[in-house]
Amino acid sequence: MSTTSKTTPGTDPGKQPKDDGGDQDLGAAGSQLSTAPAEEAPNLPSLGVVGWSRWFWRQLTSMRVALVLLLLVSLGAIPGSLIPQDGVDAMRVEEFRAEHDILAPVYDKLGLFHVYSSVWFSAIYILLFVSLIGCIVPRTWQFVGQLRGRPPRAPRRLDRLPAYTTWRTGAEPEEVREAALKLLKKRRFRADADPAGDAVAAEKGYLREVGNLAFHIALIVLLVAFAWGQLFKYEGNKLIIEGDGFSNTLTQYDDFKSGNLFDPDHDLAPFSFTLKDFHGTYEATGPNRGTPRIYEAEVTYSEGADGAEKPKTVEVNKPLNIDGSKVYLVSHGYAPILTVKDAKGDVVMDKQAVALLPLDGNVTSSGAVKVMDGYRNAKGEKEQLGFNAFFLPTYGGKGSGMQSTFPALMNPMLALSAYHGDLGVDAGIPQSIYQLDKTNLEEFKDSDGKLFKQQLEVGDTMTLPNGAGSVTFNGVQEWAGFQVTQQPGSGWALGGAVVAIFGLAGSLFIQRRRVWVRAVRGADGVTVVEMAGLGRSESAKLPEELGDLAGVLYDQAPGAPDSSDTSDASDAPENDDTPESPDTPDTPDTHAVTAEGAEKK
């Protein structure tokens, strides 16, 4: 018995030449090892509107076009990563427009400031979606039809298949076919007796096509989840000082952005929370000095308008989940507590904490203090006060510079420089709360005629020149920055990604193959067994698997003595000195031959 593997040069194993005079060509046995649609060249002279429509649809739903569209989606996303986007950072977009007089109009016309909602990107996205659906639906129905049908009949000439073996046995053909059917089913082949009655047909490796279909379906799920998430998402940031609270309404956010179909008036989940305390500890020594060890915010929250308050600790990457929204802890800083008095000594700002923004890892912070109402100068005139503030949680002393040496509150110091006049907050033009608009402000001058500024420790008071008032540094509170997000479809996107990975692995590493076993009685009355295999692509594993199956079946239907050997022994001269050799039955001899015309044992 021998197992062979052979391939005609330039010929696909799944597309073999027709059998000369056979009632069934090999192409039928090797067909439908994949559900990929056959490529058909258009008959140009006969194409009309319907013909061209069909041709366009076939091109759109081909795998080649789907890959091109995937590439275009990837390329189209590049400008969205490199160019500031309106929906992400509108201020950066305005800065870009101010700095690039020539490029900005071109980018506006091309929609590069809002790539993901532009017409051209949406067109690519929709075409890819349609292409995948148009490819998946017919292939799925075709695959279901294959599963419901029988494995294809055995070709008349099994020795033409890439992997082949044969031997003669004394067992009855029916016994061999029954044993082969049981063996193939035990090895998880989908096996069935050939209607012709002389062979068993079996097929295996359906998970390859299942993986292929699962991969493409998962891509559709990913596209839908991504689109759903972009259309209905929202994201907002809020800085909260210890003791203050937050209610999930649009006016409460410091900044807010959402998808095109999100309605802030109706879609924001009703909840609120209060920052009770912030805990932060840091490495005090070693190469990681200043690295946070504990970074958590203690909050109490409630769902709905009348929900009961519940305690919760929010940590980095451990958000608070409330009714589909997630509250992340994203930043931390300090807020000096200040008391400001006017020229008469009346309090116009009573122990108010003013949040400052960190500049480095040691939480060196800067910002602005604005006194907008209630202040009167020495002449009794209404004015507004502004202070540039610079805060160091750990001041290293004179000569250390204006930088904190450690992020914790060990030696806090506040530096203020004073201005008076009009802050510009009543002009109706939005401005940052962390910067002073000095257009209509005048500097307070010291005795040398320079900008009046002073460094304060906790408890110190800065007296403004000419009896204009005073500022007292009462202490420090901590603040935490929270990001509230809602990203619908994220679970579906994750599930789609996992399924796509496993589906792709299945389509790459599982081989679809078919095996046929024919057992017929020969002219001399001895049963002839033939086994052959065919895979979608040439692989060394197919002959190995066929050899293994043949070895097991051979044990159940062992080889018969060769009649030619018996006749030769009886005709030998009696005085022949050559010792007699016992009859030796055929034994499985598996090998692979890859060149056409190579000898088969």
Side-chain angles (χ1 to χ4, degrees), residues 477-489:
Q477 281 187 287
E478 297 186 68
W479 59 259
F482 295 91
Q483 185 179 79
V484 184
T485 65
Q486 178 177 288
Q487 187 77 32

Side-chain angles (χ1 to χ4, degrees), residues 263-283:
D263 185 0
D265 296 330
H266 300 91
D267 296 338
L268 284 174
F271 66 87
S272 61
F273 65 90
T274 300
L275 175 62
K276 294 297 184 181
D277 194 12
F278 180 88
H279 300 295
T281 60
Y282 309 87
E283 291 285 350

